[in-house]
Amino acid sequence: MSLSVDVVVRGPDGEFDVLDVPEGCDDSAGFESWRWKVWGSDAVRSLGARWFPLLDGEWLEVATEELPELLAEVALLRAHLDLIGGATGVDPWGIAPPPVQQRGVGAEPPAREGRLPQVLCKS
């Protein structure tokens, strides 16, 4: 089972539509076990992460006005991949592929165990 990130639009009656993943983006957030193994780990919590640790046992829903906080947390976690990988035993580049500049434009990210969601995708 895999863990994925979806963007939804809520209607006035609470119903929601799941939007398609934009071309060039990846909705993978790792294996289901990553809820506790990576995102709920002490390493991620020790960095002051608020959102990702919620995945350890809960469904994560982020309101539009809270997206800047989530994006800041993604940047924080990406900046500390070596620490997270060392503490969890997960290859840091399995958590997040190198930036496009390091891979080469148009190159595919390495096929690894999972990925930190790339919230900002190249359009």
Side-chain angles (χ1 to χ4, degrees):
M1 186 66 106
S2 63
L3 187 58
S4 62
V5 176
D6 292 303
V7 176
V8 300
V9 176
R10 286 213 180 265
D13 296 326
E15 75 283 355
F16 63 89
D17 292 319
V18 178
L19 302 182
D20 292 333
V21 177
E23 186 175 328
C25 297
D26 185 353
D27 66 348
S28 173
F31 293 109
E32 186 69 23
S33 64
W34 281 33
R35 287 181 177 273
W36 56 268
K37 183 177 182 180
V38 177
W39 309 131
S41 70
D42 288 340
V44 169
R45 293 173 192 274
S46 74
L47 294 169
R50 169 186 170 206
W51 296 104
F52 280 79
L54 293 175
L55 291 170
D56 184 7
E58 295 183 38
W59 180 263
L60 177 59
E61 188 171 327
V62 180
T64 304
E65 62 274 6
E66 296 171 314
L67 284 174
E69 278 183 47
L70 177 66
L71 292 173
E73 187 164 308
V74 168
L76 170 74
L77 298 179
R78 289 182 69 87
H80 292 89
L81 290 178
D82 289 332
L83 180 138
I84 297 167
T88 61
V90 176
D91 175 9
W93 293 118
I95 298 171
V100 172
Q101 307 87 285
Q102 293 179 12
R103 293 193 317 256
V105 176
E108 288 295 315
R112 302 287 181 132
E113 190 173 324
R115 298 208 180 110
L116 186 65
Q118 295 205 21
V119 178
L120 296 176
C121 302
K122 189 176 180 179
S123 55

